[in-house]
């Protein structure tokens, strides 16, 4: 591993580019290699065993780039596979759940809502991370399985999305949450629709910023330091046109193309 080694980022699909965007803004001179397992998305409806197996294979692909750090941008993969990844990889691994929990605990007056995929919510990873930081917290959990396909469809603030958001989130608002953790990479894309339901009084927590700060500490690379140009390669396991459209929506037209790779069997 050298200082010019890239930072690897893994997500089940394209949503993790929201984390890459935060990392590029914080560390503009670093090299990034991103892998989205678009062929197997969604992870959020699958079992822990399957998500762990897919994540370990993706980590193998990313390891071939000799990264100095692996960021698991996917909440579902972080919740399922982080301990196993830590045991089986030589590089340091960072997930998104602990940084998101830390941000939420700083923001809340005591009642936190957490939304995520079915698998993330069922894992109990967020309540564990939140209560480790503040045992007295009241925590309300809500899986939002329809949010991922709505985001993938580009229906970020569509009337249907607002209605789905109302059905999922009104119980949390009625229960008096003051902070809502967006525990899935896709959910920041739906922030306007989510905000319309929860109102201005609820703090929305997107862990991307917190992860970017943790990565900056880990690679000891203050913004602007180093002589690198900064770059990002974006690999996907299925390069269907809809994924390129979504990538361009998140990162802008500088995304020329997505590189197709496969995971080892
Ligand atoms: N990237 C996943 C996450 O953050 C959501 C998409 C999926 O279900 O694969 O949980």
């Amino acid at each position: 591993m050298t200082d010019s080694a890239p930072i690897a980022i893994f997500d089940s699909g394209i949503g993790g580019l929201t984390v890459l965007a935060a990392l590029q803004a914080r560390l503009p001179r670093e090299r990034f290699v991103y892998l989205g397992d678009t062929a197997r998305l969604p992870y959020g409806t699958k079992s822990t065993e399957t998500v762990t197996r897919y994540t370990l294979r993706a980590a193998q692909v990313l390891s071939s780039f000799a990264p100095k750090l692996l960021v698991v941008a996917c909440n579902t993969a972080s919740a399922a596979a982080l301990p196993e990844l830590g045991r089986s990889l030589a590089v340091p691994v960072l997930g998104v759940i602990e940084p998101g929990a830390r941000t939420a605990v700083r923001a809340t007056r005591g009642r936190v809502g957490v939304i995520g995929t079915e698998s993330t919510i069922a894992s109990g990873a967020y309540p564990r991370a939140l209560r480790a930081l503040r045992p007295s917290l009241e925590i309300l959990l809500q899986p939002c399985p329809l949010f991922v396909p709505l985001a993938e469809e580009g229906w970020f603030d569509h009337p249907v999305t607002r209605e789905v958001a109302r059905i999922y989130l009104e119980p949390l608002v009625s229960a008096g949450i003051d902070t809502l953790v967006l525990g899935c990479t896709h959910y920041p894309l739906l922030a306007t629709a989510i905000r319309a339901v929860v109102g201005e009084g609820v703090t929305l927590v997107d862990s991307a910023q917190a992860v970017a700060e943790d990565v900056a500490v880990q690679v000891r690379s203050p913004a602007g330091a180093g002589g690198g140009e900064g770059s990002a390669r974006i690999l996907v396991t299925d390069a269907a046109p809809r994924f390129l459209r979504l990538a361009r929506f998140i990162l802008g037209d500088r995304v020329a193309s997505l590189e197709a790779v496969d995971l080892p069997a």
Side-chain angles (χ1 to χ4, degrees):
M1 182 190 81
T2 66
D3 193 44
S4 63
I7 295 170
I9 304 168
F10 172 65
D11 184 44
S12 60
I14 293 298
L17 292 179
T18 55
V19 175
L20 173 62
L23 283 164
Q24 283 186 307
R26 180 67 182 78
L27 300 165
R29 302 217 167 146
E30 290 288 340
R31 292 169 55 224
F32 296 97
V33 54
Y34 177 99
L35 173 59
D37 191 11
T38 44
R40 292 164 191 80
L41 177 105
Y43 278 21
T45 51
K46 296 188 170 73
S47 67
T48 303
E49 293 69 29
T50 300
V51 172
T52 303
R53 184 156 40 87
Y54 290 169
T55 304
L56 289 171
R57 289 187 201 165
Q60 253 179 281
V61 173
L62 285 167
S63 294
S64 70
F65 292 88
K68 55 186 162 194
L69 181 66
L70 170 64
V71 179
V72 182
C74 180
N75 290 258
T76 306
S78 293
L82 219 51
E84 185 65 40
L85 275 176
R87 279 193 290 275
S88 58
L89 289 186
V91 290
V93 183
L94 278 183
V96 280
I97 289 176
E98 207 277 331
R102 227 182 316 121
T103 308
V105 166
R106 271 202 299 270
T108 186
R109 295 186 300 280
R111 200 166 290 171
V112 179
V114 180
I115 56 175
T117 64
E118 278 175 271
S119 170
T120 298
I121 297 300
S123 75
Y126 269 105
R128 267 197 303 282
L130 287 162
R131 290 225 167 81
L133 297 166
R134 199 191 296 175
S136 64
L137 277 184
E138 275 185 62
I139 303 168
L140 290 101
L141 303 170
Q142 175 65 55
C144 301
L146 292 174
F147 277 178
V148 168
L150 288 166
E152 299 269 326
E153 194 56 33
W155 287 16
F156 305 124
D157 191 24
H158 189 281
V160 170
T161 307
R162 284 199 181 210
E163 181 58 13
V164 171
R166 194 185 60 71
I167 294 166
Y168 284 146
L169 302 177
E170 254 181 16
L172 304 188
V173 177
S174 303
I177 58 161
D178 60 69
T179 300
L180 180 64
V181 179
L182 307 181
C184 172
T185 48
H186 286 62
Y187 297 178
L189 299 169
L190 309 182
T192 305
I194 291 170
R195 169 66 72 205
V197 175
V198 301
E200 291 300 323
V202 173
T203 305
L204 299 184
V205 172
D206 167 6
S207 46
Q209 300 301 331
V211 173
E213 286 310 316
D214 282 8
V215 172
V217 170
Q218 187 100 18
V219 302
R220 289 184 211 86
S221 166
E229 269 292 289
S231 65
R233 282 180 73 174
I234 303 174
L235 315 176
V236 287
T237 49
D238 180 85
R242 63 190 282 115
F243 296 124
L244 181 58
R245 276 200 301 278
L246 195 55
R248 286 190 173 145
F249 179 82
I250 298 170
L251 290 180
D253 285 339
R254 65 199 145 111
V255 183
S257 62
L258 303 174
E259 294 176 55
V261 293
D262 207 357
L263 300 191

